[in-house]
Amino acid sequence: MNFSKLVVISVCLLSFACKSEPEQEPAVEQMEQKLPNEEELTPTEVVEEEDTDENANSDIVYDFTGKTPPQAPEGMEWNRIDELSDEFEDADLNTSKWTKSLWNYGVPVQMVEENSGVADGNLWIKATLGNDSERWFESSRVMSIADVNYPMFTVSRIKNAHISAYNTFWLNNGNISNRNEIDVIENNSNPSCDCQPDFPWQMNAQYFHVIDDETKRNKGNFDNRELSDENPLKGVPWNEDYHTFGVWWKDATHIQFYLDGEPAGNVVSAREFTRNLNIIWDLWTVDADWLGGLAQKEHLSDSTLNTMKIDWIHTYKLVDK
């Protein structure tokens, strides 16, 4: 009898110990990390022109400032999301909306808090030369605290740092092996590799959908030299003026990008998006031709070249009237 009780007690204690052991949650940097931009593209259906009011109306006038959302479908309207909109006119970063997420990309990037902030009506992110021989590209990242799901539209007015690096504006949630991601831009206005001659004007936009390390991905790139003749920013390199970059995340698979108020490239995901996504800006480099080549160290000490500036962001949710 006593032996039986002892066995039962031992089994219960063992069971409690196993259930009480905390799960091994991935570190923050693993939760948000994304893969290098070198996976094979996933063939998807051809994006056909939808019979929307915008496409049906040939007389539509685009707001080249980018401040006006796309024309909402009939019976719907855009509601501004304050938690994901900002004019960056405060003296400091609004920490009720934004946080500095400092996980690292690969060598030579080192994310640091002091390389981003708010000044003169802009959110800024800069790259400087650090002392570490391996991780000498010191930069930063700013991410939204709130997340969002489709149908939504977000647009941000940005001026490139004129270094060989990706100036990014993107949406993501998940970890390196399981994530949904929409890259509105990964732009490089000053490639060092002599292999990306179109990059000063090419809006690099794409999606990633990763499940258990299986990646679905395709591009929706657009060249700003293809904007309408009336658009004052047609053919203006990313570093020479502010441009507005937007995305209308329409549904679980359809994504339409916008540049300076005009539709500019789109993608259809091969899998349905299922996650709420955070909004992110950062600045990073790697020694790879697909990025445009490694940043030149001498550029990182030049304050006229090394800073990405974000004037504002406006985000909207599409709702029934």
Side-chain angles (χ1 to χ4, degrees):
M1 183 69 174
N2 290 339
F3 177 75
S4 298
K5 287 183 178 179
L6 181 62
V7 171
V8 170
I9 291 170
S10 300
V11 170
C12 290
L13 287 174
L14 179 61
S15 176
F16 178 79
C18 291
K19 290 181 179 179
S20 300
E21 183 178 352
E23 295 182 6
Q24 296 299 312
E25 293 290 342
V28 173
E29 59 268 22
Q30 294 173 328
M31 292 288 286
E32 298 167 329
Q33 195 172 37
K34 72 173 189 174
L35 291 167
N37 187 357
E38 55 187 2
E39 293 89 347
E40 292 183 4
L41 299 181
T42 307
T44 54
E45 64 181 273
V46 176
V47 180
E48 297 180 354
E49 289 293 322
E50 300 175 13
D51 188 21
T52 63
D53 291 339
E54 182 175 345
N55 290 323
N57 183 2
S58 59
D59 297 326
I60 190 168
V61 177
Y62 294 113
D63 176 4
F64 299 139
T65 71
K67 290 185 176 181
T68 304
Q71 185 170 327
E74 186 176 355
M76 306 192 78
E77 63 184 359
W78 294 107
N79 278 3
R80 180 167 164 140
I81 305 173
D82 288 338
E83 295 84 357
L84 295 170
S85 300
D86 205 329
E87 306 300 319
F88 301 115
E89 293 178 346
D90 297 333
D92 298 302
L93 186 69
N94 186 338
T95 54
S96 69
K97 295 183 177 184
W98 316 106
T99 186
K100 297 184 181 184
S101 175
L102 301 178
W103 55 269
N104 274 330
Y105 292 110
V107 172
V109 176
Q110 178 64 56
M111 293 294 179
V112 295
E113 185 172 355
E114 59 267 28
N115 275 29
S116 59
V118 170
D120 301 322
N122 283 255
L123 169 65
W124 55 267
I125 299 174
K126 67 180 178 181
T128 55
L129 185 60
N131 295 322
D132 190 283
S133 60
E134 185 177 56
R135 291 191 173 272
W136 46 265
F137 185 92
E138 293 190 345
S139 184
S140 199
R141 179 181 300 104
V142 176
M143 183 180 76
S144 69
I145 293 172
D147 54 29
V148 68
N149 211 316
Y150 63 84
M152 58 81 69
F153 177 74
T154 189
V155 57
S156 187
R157 186 170 186 257
I158 299 169
K159 187 177 183 180
N160 250 52
H162 196 44
I163 59 178
S164 190
Y166 269 169
N167 296 245
T168 78
F169 172 46
W170 53 300
L171 295 83
N172 180 67
N173 200 297
N175 58 39
I176 192 169
S177 298
N178 292 279
R179 75 186 191 278
N180 293 174
E181 177 179 336
I182 300 171
D183 296 332
V184 186
I185 59 167
E186 291 183 318
N187 287 358
N188 179 351
S189 63
N190 194 9
S192 63
C193 67
D194 295 325
C195 60
Q196 300 287 0
D198 294 327
F199 264 22
W201 305 272
Q202 182 171 299
M203 177 179 170
N204 295 318
Q206 63 188 322
Y207 85 90
F208 285 88
H209 195 301
V210 186
I211 297 178
D212 296 333
D213 292 317
E214 182 192 0
T215 299
K216 302 290 186 182
R217 170 201 176 217
N218 215 325
K219 298 179 181 180
N221 296 347
F222 185 85
D223 192 308
N224 79 7
R225 293 169 292 191
E226 299 300 319
L227 290 170
S228 64
D229 290 339
E230 296 79 16
N231 198 315
L233 290 169
K234 179 178 181 177
V236 178
W238 307 129
N239 64 296
E240 291 187 7
D241 205 343
Y242 288 85
H243 294 261
T244 60
F245 305 98
V247 61
W248 182 356
W249 183 13
K250 294 186 173 185
D251 55 35
T253 57
H254 291 77
I255 299 163
Q256 173 68 58
F257 300 106
Y258 281 78
L259 171 63
D260 297 322
E262 300 186 37
N266 46 43
V267 288
V268 178
S269 175
R271 278 195 292 247
E272 291 192 355
F273 276 59
T274 58
R275 299 172 182 263
N276 286 8
L277 304 184
N278 299 91
I279 294 174
I280 307 168
W281 301 269
D282 62 14
L283 179 61
W284 63 285
T285 192
V286 71
D287 190 6
D289 286 351
W290 50 258
L291 180 138
L294 196 62
Q296 296 173 269
K297 290 184 177 181
E298 58 269 27
H299 290 169
L300 305 187
S301 301
D302 188 338
S303 60
T304 67
L305 301 177
N306 68 359
T307 304
M308 173 187 181
K309 296 179 180 179
I310 299 99
D311 185 19
W312 48 258
I313 179 173
H314 300 161
T315 305
Y316 306 86
K317 188 74 174 175
L318 192 60
V319 299
D320 293 329
K321 282 187 178 179

